[in-house]
Amino acid sequence: MSERDSTSQHSRRKYLAAVGAVGVGAVGSAGVLAGRGRNDESTDVEGTLYSPPSGAPAPGSLYPRVTRLKHGSGKGGEKQLLATFEYYPSMSGGSEPYFPVYRSTDGGESWSKFSEIHDTSGKDWGLRYQPTLFELPHAVGPWPAGTVLAAGNSIPILDDPEDVPEGEIGELGETSIDLYASTDRGESWEFVSTVVTGGKAVPYDGNSPVWEPELGLDDDGNLVCYFADERMGTDDDYNQLVAYKASEDGGQSWGDEQFVAAIPDGTTRPGMPTVTPLPDGTYMMSYEVIGPDYLYGEVYVETSPDGRDWGDPTDVGTLVSTADGRRFINGPYVTWTRAGGKDGTILVSGKQLVDGNRDLAAGNGEVILANSNLDGSGDWEAVDAPLSFETESELGGRGFVGWTTPLLPSRHGDELLQMTSTAANSELCEISYGVESLNLDD
């Protein structure tokens, strides 16, 4: 353990003592779902996927995404995973940003650089924000089963790139969510289409950007791209909303935008959608809801019978909360694992765990929330997370720490991989990961 890691763990122990925690292992022990106690066994694997070099522009790196490759006979079989993230060292000095792709052949225990996704759309803006990955489980449009799709936000620098000093970013311009495809398990990539375009990549203030793509398939096997949209404010009094576009030809063309969560009050901002299919044939979406009535970022879930009909957009769904009122704020991620009973278990992560007053709660940075009800109803249970990290408020307002925290269960559901951006030093974030056995009571 490095000196910085020792300091981090010592600081976390002091914090847990300060909030009166009786030990993180006890947090999830009082319900039908219970994780393994950290005081009894250490994490199976915990490591760093990528750490930015000294002098890189802040925040260094963030927004990881990871997917399992289930098709083909590539090295590692179903233990082969791909991950990507925002890569900030390439944003300065006139260079064009891209999404690095890392690969694991042992289920996420170790990682190495594998490929790069570059902007080949013809815009020459670079791929800058919010990448995501999705492997097609069956043929869709022109793509065979096992094709890996990637989407992300392409954004230009408005300054002459050659005039942007090393270590700085420059003024950012429009937003364009672009789709890429790989038919060789992530080794090479080709541009497919632009899903949606928006205004300047600055939130609020009438800039009208689009953000945070999430890929999936609907019940008919059509490709769907969910995203956050700030373009409606001037006409319809929406601040930000969650929407989607669907494609019937594998992403070569896209249908009209449809709203999922949209509150026309000029203030409320649903965003950062993630979607997972459930074993009963339904779909669940998680998203944050920013606004004074939602603790500025509470996490909600709602379900759809087909991945496209999400009900009344003004109904924000179900709050993810434990019996004692603990809930996540900001940066949610939802997944499902077959572990934990006949219907399996829904798992949700988030940036920080708080109480109803938005004060940090016991288990912050140490747990995820779980529910065996496939509609998300009832009380959620805190279970031990594979990755332990200090969060934004513990670090004095480091906003990009834990910005989003993807979860990937193993094929049999007995293990869980977690990734997020953690503090590398006082200025930069690195991408950290943890893999741990997931013990859920039936």
Side-chain angles (χ1 to χ4, degrees):
M1 180 179 286
S2 69
E3 180 179 348
R4 180 175 59 80
D5 290 337
S6 298
T7 302
S8 172
Q9 291 303 314
H10 179 62
S11 177
R12 170 160 295 286
R13 284 195 295 271
K14 288 194 297 183
Y15 166 71
L16 290 173
V19 299
V22 294
V24 175
V27 170
S29 62
V32 295
L33 302 169
R36 185 172 64 188
R38 288 190 182 277
N39 293 333
D40 298 327
E41 281 188 65
S42 60
T43 301
D44 295 343
V45 176
E46 197 166 299
T48 302
L49 177 76
Y50 168 80
S51 189
S54 175
S61 56
L62 74 155
Y63 213 100
R65 284 293 184 263
V66 59
T67 191
R68 172 173 291 101
L69 302 186
K70 299 179 181 179
H71 294 270
S73 56
K75 182 181 178 183
E78 285 200 357
K79 289 192 173 183
Q80 186 169 171
L81 314 179
L82 296 180
T84 188
F85 51 91
E86 294 181 12
Y87 177 65
Y88 284 89
S90 63
M91 294 182 68
S92 58
S95 59
E96 190 175 280
Y98 61 88
F99 297 141
V101 178
Y102 280 63
R103 181 176 67 170
S104 172
T105 59
D106 55 13
E109 295 185 18
S110 62
W111 296 84
S112 59
K113 178 76 174 292
F114 183 52
S115 66
E116 299 172 353
I117 309 175
H118 287 266
D119 178 5
T120 56
S121 68
K123 295 190 291 288
D124 297 323
W125 290 358
L127 293 170
R128 203 171 290 276
Y129 284 170
Q130 302 136 4
T132 191
L133 296 169
F134 180 72
E135 187 198 41
L136 292 176
H138 53 73
V140 176
W143 313 115
T147 298
V148 184
L149 301 179
N153 219 329
S154 177
I155 301 167
I157 297 176
L158 298 182
D159 307 302
D160 184 339
E162 298 297 336
D163 294 337
V164 179
E166 185 66 32
E168 297 184 12
I169 291 175
E171 185 180 359
L172 301 180
E174 302 165 70
T175 48
S176 177
I177 293 177
D178 291 346
L179 180 70
Y180 287 76
S182 172
T183 56
D184 54 11
R185 300 171 68 81
E187 189 169 358
S188 62
W189 299 86
E190 62 178 285
F191 172 73
V192 180
S193 67
T194 292
V195 181
V196 62
T197 60
K200 188 176 179 181
V202 178
Y204 306 100
D205 298 330
N207 289 307
S208 65
V210 289
W211 307 112
E212 303 150 354
E214 166 85 349
L215 298 173
L217 297 180
D218 68 13
D219 202 42
D220 293 324
N222 298 312
L223 184 64
V224 182
C225 182
Y226 308 91
F227 56 95
D229 189 347
E230 289 194 53
R231 299 176 302 166
M232 310 295 174
T234 18
D235 296 331
D236 300 303
D237 208 25
Y238 293 105
N239 189 312
Q240 178 177 275
L241 55 86
V242 172
Y244 72 83
K245 285 189 170 188
S247 172
E248 297 180 354
D249 56 12
Q252 297 175 98
S253 63
W254 296 90
D256 294 335
E257 179 176 358
Q258 304 294 325
F259 291 178
V260 175
I263 314 297
D265 62 3
T267 302
T268 306
R269 294 172 57 85
M272 302 192 77
T274 64
V275 176
T276 189
L278 299 176
D280 62 355
T282 64
Y283 300 76
M284 177 170 282
M285 177 184 291
S286 69
Y287 45 81
E288 66 180 21
V289 185
I290 296 175
D293 296 331
Y294 302 94
L295 296 188
Y296 287 96
E298 286 178 320
V299 173
Y300 283 74
V301 294
E302 60 178 295
T303 57
S304 166
D306 58 7
R308 292 173 70 170
D309 179 6
W310 296 92
D312 181 357
T314 63
D315 180 359
V316 297
T318 301
L319 175 67
V320 176
S321 177
T322 64
D324 60 359
R326 289 176 292 162
R327 75 285 307 267
F328 281 123
I329 52 170
N330 305 123
Y333 194 93
V334 64
T335 192
W336 174 86
T337 174
R338 63 181 69 251
K342 66 181 181 66
D343 292 328
T345 306
I346 298 164
L347 302 173
V348 169
S349 64
K351 187 177 182 182
Q352 297 194 108
L353 190 72
V354 301
D355 61 20
N357 296 316
R358 212 177 191 268
D359 295 324
L360 294 185
N364 175 56
E366 299 278 346
V367 301
I368 55 179
L369 298 183
N371 196 330
S372 57
N373 298 322
L374 294 183
D375 62 356
S377 63
D379 295 328
W380 292 66
E381 301 280 349
V383 300
D384 295 327
L387 185 63
S388 171
F389 62 97
E390 290 183 295
T391 65
E392 173 184 353
S393 296
E394 295 175 85
L395 293 168
R398 293 284 299 278
F400 292 112
V401 171
W403 188 265
T404 181
T405 304
L407 304 170
L408 183 66
S410 63
R411 183 166 62 94
H412 297 294
D414 55 340
E415 289 186 337
L416 184 67
L417 167 68
Q418 181 182 14
M419 283 186 177
T420 199
S421 49
T422 61
N425 54 41
S426 60
E427 298 292 333
L428 302 178
C429 293
E430 60 191 7
I431 305 300
S432 298
Y433 67 93
V435 181
E436 185 174 324
S437 297
L438 183 62
N439 295 332
L440 299 171
D441 292 343
D442 291 340

